[in-house]
Amino acid sequence: MEPALLSLVGGTFLLAGFVKGVIGLGLPTVSLALLTATLGLQPAIALMLVPSLVTNLLQGLSGGHLRAVTRRTWPFLLCATATIWVGALALTRVDTMILSGLLGLLLIAYAAIGLGRVGFALPARLEPFTGIAFGTANGLLSGMTGSFTVPGVLYLQASGLERDQLIQAMGLLFSLSTLALAVALGGQNLLSVDLGLLSAAALLPALLGMELGRRLRHRLSEALFRKIFLFGLLALGLYLAGGGFL
């Protein structure tokens, strides 16, 4: 609990919360990427648990579409949650540098798809089957890297949900994935009291950053800010992938 560490964690979650306040997403992704680059993958995953859970739980339970979203996406959410513990086994069996490199590749893919505005639509009749496939892949990758976005967010975007439903569905995905990841880390003794306390303390700067981002949202160009956010993720992804594989 040195001052330098507290400052690093507090500043990271203040920035990550600000990003989420402006564009509505990005807190787990930004905090995970920055902390992995500075502290390593395993501590980064543990530190993001409390802020990610609380902020995304609020997002997942608000919006008025909980029943409709759950009824439509439950096969995907179930598989994305249930398979996390399988992926998390890699955290104690695979070199963490390789897993950090994998996280870098996921960030690169997410940023490239966002910058290229690549999109696709899934036929409604295929949603149950594609939900199982995408959910399983997302759960395995979430367990290995702590990132919940690829391919899960891409699947939700392709399913044709309305904007408010999509935001709520992403909140549910991130909340359930965070809970499952916490259980998986605890089962492998990768959560310590110090990390738990520091993660809980990181909730305050995260909430402050979100409030600041919400207040400044209308004064900023959301499109420009999102582009800067994606370029930042791309740079971090390249850094992590290079360090992990090269």
Side-chain angles (χ1 to χ4, degrees):
M1 296 296 181
E2 296 178 355
L5 176 61
L6 294 175
S7 299
L8 171 64
V9 173
T12 296
F13 281 97
L14 184 67
L15 175 61
F18 179 77
V19 172
K20 184 175 178 64
V22 174
I23 63 176
L25 54 86
L27 187 147
T29 305
V30 172
S31 59
L32 181 65
L34 289 175
L35 292 175
T36 299
T38 52
L39 300 179
L41 181 63
Q42 291 180 359
I45 294 176
L47 288 171
M48 76 162 188
L49 291 177
V50 174
S52 175
L53 175 62
V54 174
T55 56
N56 286 299
L57 194 59
L58 294 173
Q59 179 178 324
L61 296 179
S62 61
H65 302 286
L66 180 60
R67 181 176 298 180
V69 168
T70 304
R71 183 169 58 247
R72 184 168 174 180
T73 62
W74 72 265
F76 165 76
L77 293 174
L78 178 62
C79 292
T81 304
T83 55
I84 280 181
W85 71 271
V86 180
L89 294 175
L91 292 173
T92 56
R93 293 166 172 79
V94 179
D95 188 343
T96 55
M97 289 300 294
I98 294 176
L99 296 179
S100 297
L102 177 59
L103 172 61
L105 292 180
L106 295 179
L107 294 177
I108 292 170
Y110 180 73
I113 291 171
L115 291 169
R117 297 183 179 181
V118 177
F120 62 97
L122 292 172
R125 67 181 185 278
L126 297 180
E127 279 189 19
F129 307 103
T130 54
I132 292 173
F134 275 87
T136 299
N138 203 73
L140 293 174
L141 290 172
S142 296
M144 288 188 283
T145 66
S147 175
F148 312 133
T149 54
V150 179
V153 171
L154 304 180
Y155 166 79
L156 292 175
Q157 291 173 336
S159 61
L161 294 168
E162 298 177 359
R163 177 176 172 82
D164 290 343
Q165 292 179 334
L166 175 62
I167 291 173
Q168 193 162 3
M170 289 192 294
L172 287 174
L173 169 64
F174 297 157
S175 299
L176 294 172
S177 297
T178 303
L179 280 172
L181 189 57
V183 173
L185 292 179
Q188 298 189 68
N189 297 317
L190 295 177
L191 285 178
S192 66
V193 175
D194 285 346
L195 285 174
L197 292 174
L198 191 53
S199 180
L203 178 61
L204 179 58
L207 293 176
L208 288 175
M210 284 180 60
E211 181 60 27
L212 180 61
R214 276 196 292 262
R215 292 188 178 188
L216 295 179
R217 179 186 302 168
H218 300 297
R219 302 181 184 180
L220 300 173
S221 168
E222 184 174 337
L224 177 59
F225 191 87
R226 184 183 294 269
K227 185 174 292 186
I228 294 172
F229 161 68
L230 291 173
F231 272 116
L233 285 187
L234 181 62
L236 282 170
L238 291 170
Y239 174 78
L240 292 174
F245 295 124
L246 300 180

